[in-house]
Amino acid sequence: MPSPLSGSVPQSVIIAGGGIAGIAAALRLAEAGVAVTLLETRKKLGGRATSFVDVRSGAILDNCQHVVLGCCTNYLDLLARLGESDKITWTDVQWWIEPGGRTSVIRPGPLPAPGHFSFSMLGVRFLSWPEVSSLARAMLAVLRVDRTRWRDRTFAQFLAQQGQSERVIRRFWTPVIVSACNLEPHKVAASSALHVFQEGFLAHRDAASIGVSTVPLVQLYDRAEEVIRAAGGTIELGCSVERVEPGAVITGGGGGGGGGGGERLTADRVICALPVERAIDALPESDPRLPLMRRFTHSPILGVHLVFDRPVLTTPHAVLVDCAVQWLFRKDEAGRSLHAVISGADDWMPLTEAQIGERVLADIRRCIPAARGATLLSVRAVKEKRATFAPTPEVEASRPPALAPGSEDHVILAGDYTATGWPATMEGATRSGYAAAAAVLGRPARELVVPDIQVALGARLLGLSPPSHREEGMKAGR
Ligand SMILES: Cc1cc2nc3c(=O)[nH]c(=O)nc-3n(C[C@H](O)[C@H](O)[C@H](O)COP(=O)(O)OP(=O)(O)OC[C@H]3O[C@@H](n4cnc5c(N)ncnc54)[C@H](O)[C@@H]3O)c2cc1C
């Protein structure tokens, strides 16, 4: 039988799944002196934030560009614990490029938050003056609204209530929200989208700073293996978990790792950090969270690696206004090697790589005049069909807690899909891992989960209220 959570601290914990949630839980538990065994089916840690060797070029490519924002306090804490903070390069500037090449620069100005983007927004050229003024009014409403009351409605409904025109929605709100939540405004729960603007734009002048890794994503987690092992933990790579129970896991028959195959491994506690669709199959049928978890659906993301024969993009990244491609990232100094990201990419999934290349190239040529004379030398499209859960109102209402309600004798859940209050992100995954570790240690989640970015005084005076956010985030623990 597993140790009761409220009793003595468990001596041993098995964690199924070595994505960011599993890594975060393993690290915090190993630091606390618990004997951790982390089981991961792949040969590398990192899960969906990963890289692969491209057989055509031999290059190590990320499955997709991953972005961290300044408001991601827990993921940044995880990188610091791994000694990898210096692998992130930061900018607080956003370049928005319209078809035809006109560029608007959005960056924090002299005013304190939440007014830090005001000067930039007054200068944007992809919206008219009346549109910027209507956007400012909507932002004031975003500041004041209690987002937890908008969980059962879509963001499109919120924007309609604020009188946002179709053009402002298409040119401003949609690219931000599709990129952050991986779902369009008419599908995404308003609470999730409001979270992005409240925490990621308005709370603090550094909240929207954009960080990207300077090394392939997979290398960020190499140190996790060392650090967890150095703290006395065990990592079994290539070990597939079939079933998770309150005090045991059963590994799969084909597992090639040290966990063997068809083996029953026991521990005081078990954390299930598998993706939601795998967790559904692995949990005991009696787990009361399963009906919620079965409501989850997914949304795809497409990452496209492109190499041109000459420099195309001069800025580190660009948002393409009014295009199917939402973000472009420059992947080399010269700007010949680019990465295009299409979130909410359902329509792209049936396309061939050649068709994808053509469509992406068309958007790039529409917006970046320098690309019109450039030849596209190679295209590598990576389709992630189950990139993230789809944060619809129904799914947002179904996010399961780390601990089964009313019982301590259940598998502890971790993963970006659990009730962290965050969209499916590396931050959400880290929070869930820290909260799961807190649950094992019998401590309140807030003792291990790093607080949100501090809400600036001006934002608080205008109505942004931190306490409701904190309560929401704590649901992952107890
Ligand atoms: C294309 C794409 C782009 C993204 N962009 C961003 C971004 O820009 N910013 C951001 O913050 N987030 C982004 N995300 C989301 C982010 O990657 C995820 O939210 C996060 O990595 C989820 O971590 P996790 O640990 O919860 O789940 P996972 O990463 O899914 O981890 C689960 C782990 O369990 C393992 N596993 C599965 N089955 C078994 C089994 N049977 N036995 C043992 N192990 C098993 C998996 O291999 C995996 O390692 C993106 C995701 C994708 C796919």
Side-chain angles (χ1 to χ4, degrees), residues 163-305:
Q164 297 299 283
S165 70
E166 184 275 329
R167 190 167 181 273
V168 177
I169 293 174
R170 179 165 40 84
R171 297 198 140 211
F172 177 77
W173 298 102
T174 298
V176 177
I177 281 314
V178 177
S179 304
C181 298
N182 195 19
L183 216 54
E184 287 157 352
H186 67 279
K187 296 182 190 160
V188 71
S191 52
S192 198
L194 288 165
H195 186 138
V196 171
F197 285 102
Q198 290 182 335
E199 305 272 332
F201 266 66
L202 299 167
H204 191 283
R205 62 181 290 115
D206 296 335
S209 291
I210 294 171
V212 294
S213 177
T214 54
V215 297
L217 285 172
V218 75
Q219 290 175 14
L220 288 177
Y221 309 108
D222 283 346
R223 287 254 312 140
E225 292 182 32
E226 271 172 51
V227 175
I228 294 165
R229 287 194 173 111
T234 307
I235 298 174
E236 302 287 0
L237 299 172
C239 175
S240 184
V241 171
E242 285 288 312
R243 310 280 311 160
V244 289
E245 296 169 4
V249 305
I250 291 99
T251 62
E263 219 179 313
R264 183 182 170 83
L265 308 173
T266 58
D268 291 337
R269 300 294 307 182
V270 169
I271 296 177
C272 176
L274 303 175
V276 63
E277 67 279 5
R278 282 293 303 125
I280 288 169
D281 293 338
L283 284 166
E285 200 46 50
S286 59
D287 193 292
R289 294 162 294 188
L290 279 174
L292 291 178
M293 292 161 69
R294 290 197 172 110
R295 292 188 200 153
F296 274 69
T297 54
H298 288 85
S299 183
I301 300 180
L302 179 63
V304 189
H305 301 267

Side-chain angles (χ1 to χ4, degrees), residues 222-472:
D222 283 346
R223 287 254 312 140
E225 292 182 32
E226 271 172 51
V227 175
I228 294 165
R229 287 194 173 111
T234 307
I235 298 174
E236 302 287 0
L237 299 172
C239 175
S240 184
V241 171
E242 285 288 312
R243 310 280 311 160
V244 289
E245 296 169 4
V249 305
I250 291 99
T251 62
E263 219 179 313
R264 183 182 170 83
L265 308 173
T266 58
D268 291 337
R269 300 294 307 182
V270 169
I271 296 177
C272 176
L274 303 175
V276 63
E277 67 279 5
R278 282 293 303 125
I280 288 169
D281 293 338
L283 284 166
E285 200 46 50
S286 59
D287 193 292
R289 294 162 294 188
L290 279 174
L292 291 178
M293 292 161 69
R294 290 197 172 110
R295 292 188 200 153
F296 274 69
T297 54
H298 288 85
S299 183
I301 300 180
L302 179 63
V304 189
H305 301 267
L306 308 135
V307 180
F308 289 88
D309 67 340
R310 69 195 71 178
V312 166
L313 185 64
T314 54
T315 56
H317 67 251
V319 181
L320 302 190
V321 178
D322 246 345
C323 289
V325 173
Q326 292 114 15
W327 283 82
L328 268 188
F329 293 87
R330 189 180 67 192
K331 299 304 286 180
D332 63 359
E333 278 302 309
R336 292 175 54 234
S337 178
L338 307 187
H339 184 77
V341 181
I342 299 115
S343 298
D346 293 281
D347 295 347
W348 294 69
M349 289 299 113
L351 301 183
T352 63
E353 194 166 65
Q355 290 168 326
I356 289 169
E358 274 170 33
R359 288 198 188 185
V360 172
L361 184 60
D363 273 354
I364 294 175
R365 286 192 168 144
R366 275 173 76 208
C367 294
I368 304 177
R372 290 180 196 149
T375 304
L376 181 58
L377 301 178
S378 73
V379 179
R380 184 76 170 87
V382 185
K383 295 176 184 172
E384 291 278 11
K385 290 188 179 156
R386 287 177 165 167
T388 69
F389 69 83
T392 59
E394 191 190 11
V395 169
E396 276 300 308
S398 308
R399 292 177 71 178
L403 292 174
S407 170
E408 296 190 331
D409 185 20
H410 280 293
V411 170
I412 297 166
L413 295 182
D416 61 359
Y417 69 93
T418 58
T420 63
W422 277 71
T425 51
M426 300 186 289
E427 171 68 10
T430 311
R431 281 179 182 242
S432 76
Y434 285 4
V440 167
L441 298 172
R443 290 161 61 182
R446 66 174 174 278
E447 287 188 15
L448 267 68
V449 174
V450 179
D452 297 341
I453 195 164
Q454 202 180 0
V455 179
L457 178 65
R460 262 184 281 150
L461 290 175
L462 283 169
L464 189 56
S465 116
S468 66
H469 307 179
R470 301 250 155 78
E471 275 163 32
E472 191 184 12

